[in-house]
Amino acid sequence: MNPTSAIRFAAALFLAPLALAQNDNPAAGKDNLPPPSNLVGPGPLTMPASQAAGQPNSQGTTFVTPGMPTLGRRVSSGQVTRFTNDFNPAFSFIIDATGQVSEAENGADGADVFLRTFEIGGNAWVDPNAWAYFTAVAEDEGIGVEEAAVHYTGFGNKNVVRAGRFFVDFGKQMQTHVHDLRTYERPLVLREYLGAELGGDGLQWDSWTTLGDATVVRWSLGAFASLLGEGDEDADPANTPFASVVEGTKREDDFSYTARLTGFTEVGERGTLQLGASARLLPSYELGLGLDAGAIGADLSNTVWGLDATYGWVGETGIDSWTFGGEMLFNTGDVGAELTGADDIYTVVDDSLTGFYAYGDYAWDRFNAVGAQFSSAEVVGDERSELEVYYTRLFSEFHRLRFVLGASDSDVDGSGSKFLVQYTTILGAHGHGVNW
Amino acid sequence: MGRLLQFAALAFALALAALPTVAGEREPGAKLKVVTTIPDLADIVREVGGERVEVTSIARGKENLHNVISRPSHLVALSKADILVQVGLSMEMGFIPALLEGCGNPQVRPGGKGFINASDGWQPIQVPAVLTRQGGDLHPQGNPHMNIDPRAGRHFALRIAEGLSVVAPEWKAEFETRRDAYLARLERAEKRWLEFAREWRGRKFVVYHQEFNYLAEVYGLQIVANLEVKPGIQPTPNHLAQVIETMKREQCTVIATALWSKNDFVARVAEATGAKVVELPNMCGGIAGTDSWIAMLDLVHARLAAAFGTPVPPVQ
């Protein structure tokens, strides 16, 4: 160390405490505003840049629009990426319980309490260009993986490729897990035409572009090993010989496909409108009554088309909102099977069926919402409809109570009604991959 | 559909996806497209950037900042932006991460040269020692409502000038000149605000949400209760009863709310205690006459002085 440096070093040692004392002097604020300790100069980041913004928001995961999952949308906190170790996935556990009283002309009456869903989820960045998540749910005999997929964003600025097992991009309600729905049940027409949930193992390409300053258009194409929806677990094949309980199987060498085109635009100062068209194509599949039974029909094909519209209005403070949405579905081709003839033989039905759902939802603040959802669908040999009216109370972003009054009607089974209390809690950072 | 056709369609889709999409480079001399999360930052960007910037704010001024709802225009603006300026400290966690992921513009993401985290270097208050959801909607990095701190304008101006200069170094000297002119105006404003606050030390008030805590810290005001049970958690009847009791005991006669939180709970407590309700902006633009950050702070000081009954300094 040369003498000049030594003098500077000694002076710094001597002056440093004085400088610190100057900063700590309470009198400094008498005629001037007291300075925050790091007011001047580029101080250290107060948090890792990856946490400051940009990580998937675990409550919505991606950009969401009106009509998409409600839990966590109205109330969005900063807690979802609070893990101190960025390399750890954010884990979540969902407990979704139900108490129910039901009455039906032809069906089960009575009261019940049950755990509807116990879900385990995780999501994390894989590297700068990819993030991944999984969702597993407890089933009667173990754990079922509902989704396990990677979002790859490295191809370009507005392209995302998702690979793995995930819920397909069809309309605005099929991607949603049941505990995230705005009311208790997924719309009847979706359950009938696409299944209670519609996930597949495959690949999806997703892209979007802008049209002007206030409109965005997105499209996606997906190819899946299989896209036969999950059936109604409570239905009894012996008593209900209709499409919803006839199991489908796929041929090994055929894929199933999805496509979606949607536009999202602004309507006035407070409103937004989203219009979309979706398709699920099963070019070739077989119908059967389970793995051990013979096929009812082979080389069958089916396409479900959907046209959806969602209008969202948000008050000027951002805490009250109206949402109206609906979707028209067309189920064409080999839509199922029915018992025919004196011997009760299953016959494949080639038909064109239509159905729809519509809902309205009003949230007067971040914690309270009411709404109604109606759905009607033609199915093989029957016409069914369902109405649900609900009140949702969020105690916090992670804690929800919902009361639901439901009524159903069927040409074959008659009418029914139910009253439900749904209680849902989220532990950890809840996340699903969703497309807007 | 034959197997070959299926794979061809799949390969075509993947090929399209793999096409490189290059973000548009800013032409030399073109204005900087800046998106800010709140109007306060937009105002200061205009002050520092002058004619060199074209600014859009996501929030408009009346929203609860933790609950700003994304619109298509936000996605479009961010996808074309050269710079994003956010407050940080998790203030915008409810909407910015999703918009950033969706907008497809790496330049404005954290780590990109167009990302400005305006709270960098700020010393936040109320940094939670323990992160538990028993604490409600906690912000792990501390209270994010620093934009209501009278010292924040100075801090924002410094960060913004630095950030603009990184993206457009050719205009650095111009940005610094404009920044210094703004800091000089701020100095005059700060003296004015100190005059307002000369008799405020020890004055008591109640808030709905923890939005005005920096203000309290600067001037030695006492926040004796929050109407929210915990940040982001709605009041319960039991909690409101405790707040009323505390206000009576502490002889607290002022309740400060933002536009979004001036609700029935506030009215009920005001009625029970006879307290005055003072509506304060939580950002620029929400109340008439608060289009600039300095004007907003002027209004905050004037309204608080009126609520406390303390002298209003003469207009200079």
Side-chain angles (χ1 to χ4, degrees), chain A residues 78-122:
Chain A
Q79 301 192 355
V80 290
T81 57
R82 66 182 171 81
F83 294 87
T84 52
N85 184 345
D86 275 359
F87 299 109
N88 281 335
F91 289 108
S92 71
F93 304 89
I94 315 290
I95 300 165
D96 188 23
T98 303
Q100 172 180 316
V101 181
S102 58
E103 203 175 270
E105 282 181 5
N106 294 301
D109 285 354
D112 198 3
V113 177
F114 54 93
L115 180 69
R116 188 194 201 191
T117 308
F118 176 71
E119 180 190 288
I120 304 168

Side-chain angles (χ1 to χ4, degrees), chain B residues 13-199:
Chain B
L14 277 175
L16 276 176
L19 284 175
T21 312
V22 180
E25 287 292 319
R26 189 174 66 89
E27 289 179 14
K31 284 187 175 185
L32 291 172
K33 295 190 187 97
V34 183
V35 175
T36 67
T37 54
I38 60 173
D40 310 41
L41 295 171
D43 171 55
I44 298 173
V45 169
R46 283 188 201 98
E47 291 287 351
V48 175
E51 294 295 311
R52 304 297 191 188
V53 295
E54 202 176 279
V55 192
T56 309
S57 171
I58 292 175
R60 300 175 186 194
K62 295 185 178 178
E63 298 98 326
N64 174 339
L65 275 170
H66 306 307
N67 208 56
V68 175
I69 305 298
S70 301
R71 291 166 65 80
S73 56
H74 302 156
L75 207 56
V76 175
L78 272 174
S79 73
K80 297 175 178 174
D82 299 306
I83 294 172
L84 165 69
V85 191
Q86 68 161 19
V87 172
L89 301 174
S90 300
M91 164 110 81
E92 300 97 336
M93 191 57 86
F95 58 102
I96 277 294
L99 279 170
L100 280 180
E101 195 200 342
C103 77
N105 182 353
Q107 175 159 326
V108 297
R109 288 181 180 151
K113 68 175 183 178
F115 176 73
I116 302 176
N117 192 45
S119 59
D120 279 354
W122 181 262
Q123 181 84 7
I125 60 173
Q126 296 177 295
V127 179
V130 179
L131 292 177
T132 165
R133 285 182 178 152
Q134 279 188 312
D137 182 6
L138 283 183
H139 293 272
Q141 298 82 35
N143 189 317
H145 298 284
M146 61 175 284
N147 62 310
I148 306 296
D149 189 319
R151 303 164 296 190
R154 187 173 290 274
H155 186 88
F156 287 153
L158 293 170
R159 291 288 91 81
I160 286 167
E162 286 167 5
L164 296 182
S165 301
V166 168
V167 179
E170 67 274 22
W171 295 329
K172 185 178 180 191
E174 191 177 330
F175 294 146
E176 287 175 350
T177 303
R178 293 189 63 89
R179 176 202 64 194
D180 292 343
Y182 184 62
L183 293 181
R185 283 175 54 205
L186 271 180
E187 197 174 333
R188 290 194 291 278
E190 287 166 356
K191 284 192 166 54
R192 191 163 66 239
W193 299 335
L194 278 168
E195 284 300 315
F196 269 106
R198 210 159 276 285
E199 294 182 23

Side-chain angles (χ1 to χ4, degrees), chain A residues 211-237:
Chain A
L211 283 179
D213 289 335
T215 302
V216 286
V217 175
R218 185 183 69 82
W219 57 92
S220 73
L221 292 171
F224 298 86
S226 174
L227 273 185
L228 291 161
E230 183 183 304
D232 184 349
E233 291 171 2
D234 298 330
D236 179 359

Side-chain angles (χ1 to χ4, degrees), chain A residues 30-47 49 51-57 61-63 73-79 81-82 131 155-159 161 203 205 208 210 212-216 221 223 253-255 257 264-266 268-272 314 316-319 365-368 393 395-396 398 426-429 436, chain B residues 1 3 6-7 10 13-14 16-23 60 62-64 66-67 69-76 79-80 86 89-90 93-106 110-111 115 117 119-124 131 133 136-141 150-151 154-155 158-159 162 190-191 193-194 198 218-219 228 232-234 259-260:
Chain A
K30 194 172 178 185
D31 293 316
N32 296 294
L33 294 174
S37 56
N38 290 325
L39 187 63
V40 180
L45 281 173
T46 52
M47 61 193 297
Q51 283 192 0
Q55 282 207 352
N57 177 350
T61 313
T62 54
F63 184 69
R73 184 170 183 277
R74 292 196 184 98
V75 191
S76 300
S77 77
Q79 301 192 355
T81 57
R82 66 182 171 81
W131 67 276
F155 283 128
N157 293 338
K158 296 186 175 73
N159 294 290
V161 171
L203 199 66
W205 166 53
W208 68 277
T210 60
D213 289 335
T215 302
V216 286
L221 292 171
D253 57 350
D254 287 305
F255 281 85
Y257 300 93
F264 183 40
T265 191
E266 298 186 5
E269 283 288 296
R270 298 278 153 214
T272 57
V314 179
E316 60 185 10
T317 56
I319 59 173
D365 61 26
R366 300 189 299 156
F367 304 95
N368 297 280
R393 164 73 179 166
F395 297 110
S396 71
F398 310 100
I426 297 175
L427 290 72
W436 58 268
Chain B
M1 193 183 291
R3 187 194 297 187
Q6 291 179 14
F7 277 108
L10 192 62
L14 277 175
L16 276 176
L19 284 175
T21 312
V22 180
R60 300 175 186 194
K62 295 185 178 178
E63 298 98 326
N64 174 339
H66 306 307
N67 208 56
I69 305 298
S70 301
R71 291 166 65 80
S73 56
H74 302 156
L75 207 56
V76 175
S79 73
K80 297 175 178 174
Q86 68 161 19
L89 301 174
S90 300
M93 191 57 86
F95 58 102
I96 277 294
L99 279 170
L100 280 180
E101 195 200 342
C103 77
N105 182 353
F115 176 73
N117 192 45
S119 59
D120 279 354
W122 181 262
Q123 181 84 7
L131 292 177
R133 285 182 178 152
D137 182 6
L138 283 183
H139 293 272
Q141 298 82 35
R151 303 164 296 190
R154 187 173 290 274
H155 186 88
L158 293 170
R159 291 288 91 81
E162 286 167 5
E190 287 166 356
K191 284 192 166 54
W193 299 335
L194 278 168
R198 210 159 276 285
V218 170
Y219 296 129
E228 287 180 322
I233 306 295
Q234 245 186 352
L259 284 167
W260 68 268

Side-chain angles (χ1 to χ4, degrees), chain A residues 282-293:
Chain A
L282 303 177
S284 181
Y285 76 105
E286 293 180 355
L287 273 180
L289 284 175
L291 295 175
D292 300 331

Side-chain angles (χ1 to χ4, degrees), chain A residues 151-358:
Chain A
H151 286 239
Y152 185 74
T153 59
F155 283 128
N157 293 338
K158 296 186 175 73
N159 294 290
V160 175
V161 171
R162 183 157 36 155
R165 176 178 297 175
F166 52 95
F167 283 10
V168 305
D169 185 17
F170 190 106
K172 297 196 68 175
Q173 303 297 322
M174 276 317 287
Q175 295 180 72
T176 308
H177 287 250
V178 288
H179 60 266
D180 273 341
L181 292 166
R182 73 181 52 262
T183 181
Y184 190 77
E185 296 284 7
R186 199 183 302 282
L188 170 81
V189 64
L190 295 176
R191 304 201 310 270
E192 293 291 352
Y193 292 177
L194 297 169
E197 292 181 333
L198 186 56
D201 295 355
L203 199 66
Q204 178 185 288
W205 166 53
D206 197 293
S207 188
W208 68 277
T209 189
T210 60
L211 283 179
D213 289 335
T215 302
V216 286
V217 175
R218 185 183 69 82
W219 57 92
S220 73
L221 292 171
F224 298 86
S226 174
L227 273 185
L228 291 161
E230 183 183 304
D232 184 349
E233 291 171 2
D234 298 330
D236 179 359
N239 298 330
T240 319
F242 296 114
S244 62
V245 297
V246 178
E247 292 186 17
T249 57
K250 77 175 200 71
R251 283 179 12 180
E252 285 181 0
D253 57 350
D254 287 305
F255 281 85
S256 303
Y257 300 93
T258 61
R260 177 158 170 80
L261 175 67
T262 181
F264 183 40
T265 191
E266 298 186 5
V267 181
E269 283 288 296
R270 298 278 153 214
T272 57
L273 178 67
Q274 184 171 3
L275 301 173
S278 312
R280 183 210 60 179
L281 293 82
L282 303 177
S284 181
Y285 76 105
E286 293 180 355
L287 273 180
L289 284 175
L291 295 175
D292 300 331
I296 297 167
D299 276 333
L300 308 177
S301 66
N302 174 266
T303 302
V304 177
W305 303 93
L307 295 172
D308 60 277
T310 310
Y311 174 76
W313 180 93
V314 179
E316 60 185 10
T317 56
I319 59 173
D320 55 325
S321 64
W322 286 92
T323 310
F324 298 99
E327 187 169 15
M328 188 85 194
L329 285 103
F330 307 91
N331 187 3
T332 62
D334 300 310
V335 295
E338 64 182 344
L339 288 172
T340 55
D343 298 332
D344 277 355
I345 296 169
Y346 278 107
T347 306
V348 173
V349 176
D350 184 348
D351 203 350
S352 183
L353 307 171
T354 59
F356 74 95
Y357 67 85

